[in-house]
Amino acid sequence: MPQDETPTSPPRSWVEIDTAALGHNLRVSREASGCAIMAVVKAGAYGHGLETIARFLESEGVEFLGVANIGEARRIRRAGVLCPIYLLGATWELEREEIVARNVTPCISTLAEAQSFSDIAARHGVTLPVHIAVDTGMARGGFLPADVAASLTEIEKLPALSIEGIASHLSSSDEDEVFTNIQISLFSKTVAELGGSSRFRWIHLSNSGGILAYPAGPCNLARPGLMLYGISPIPQFQEKLQNVMSLKSRVSLARTVPAGHSVSYGRTYVTTRPTRLATVGIGYGDGYPRSLSGKNAQVFIRGQRHPIVGRVTMDQIVVALPDDSPVTSGDEVELFGANIPADEVAALADTIAWELFTGITPRVERIYHGVAPL
Ligand SMILES: *Cc1c(COP(=O)(O)O)cnc(C)c1O
């Protein structure tokens, strides 16, 4: 192919990812939990870029990377990451061959699943490490506490599995202290009855909320996700964490429109006087939620917050400026980040920071500070 000599423009919208802040938040998860860390990198490392973040976290010495599916594990392995990978949920039959072939550690929810993994591993001539999942009140998977002892006895007879860990998952660690304590007690009791640390190399339960607000109990491994990416699910711990991701764009146009001028689709906003407006090149096609329309959501330009007026469109939003504003075409705009917290934007959009982060679309370029991108 002939080389493309056409000049390349800077990106219209981008996220900046501060890996030093990610490293800080990793140290906070280590200190708060007192555990080894399974860094959760599912959903493209919560939108931060799967391969680059997995490589960075491996270099920071995490014990495991946690993924949602084998496709994510495949991408991480192809990026040259050797760190153990754990699959956070139940699997179905046609995923298991590759899980075994790539030596990814699954969690086991049923005897049938265990049997199937053992058969495949035996065929491959390998022993597959697995963790036993216990359902203490989330119901996405795992053995019920009453059944786990008998099932474990059966699983231990399977020739090609080695039981390396036991796990459960907190359903409400950021909203229900009473139920979270019930889950922690139930898991502690279950693990103790099964033999505790003499039987399991890894014992794990906590997500970010659990790590920040609850004791580790019998656990020696913790599974932080959101907190690594700079947001505490429980506001009182936010100050411990550093901002990792900033979503940015640029002003494409700034000018004054007359009084009585309607703004954006559906004309939900009409100026009451001559108004200076800035058009910014980002919209729901970039993952900036359309549900922010009409919510007085703000953006940050030249050191100040400014409100969005009218609906968020696919590729552009309109921001109202003071009459004497110096804001002009080309100015950088922060949609969320160090100055406008992502959880504030998520709440206005009637969602959560997890969804806001994972919703940033591929059109938005990821720019890394502190590591070379892959
Ligand atoms: C996503 C997930 C986590 C991480 O949760 P955060 O709330 O983002 O810290 C931990 N464990 C399991 C099983 C998960 O699915």
Side-chain angles (χ1 to χ4, degrees), residues 40 42 46 88 140 169 206-209 223-227 233 354:
V40 178
K42 62 193 181 190
Y46 290 44
L88 293 157
R140 291 194 306 203
H169 189 43
S206 286
N207 50 12
S208 297
R223 306 187 305 262
L226 191 69
M227 69 178 290
W354 292 262

Side-chain angles (χ1 to χ4, degrees), residues 334-346:
E334 178 191 304
L335 289 306
F336 63 73
N339 301 291
I340 301 195
D343 52 350
E344 174 190 317
V345 175

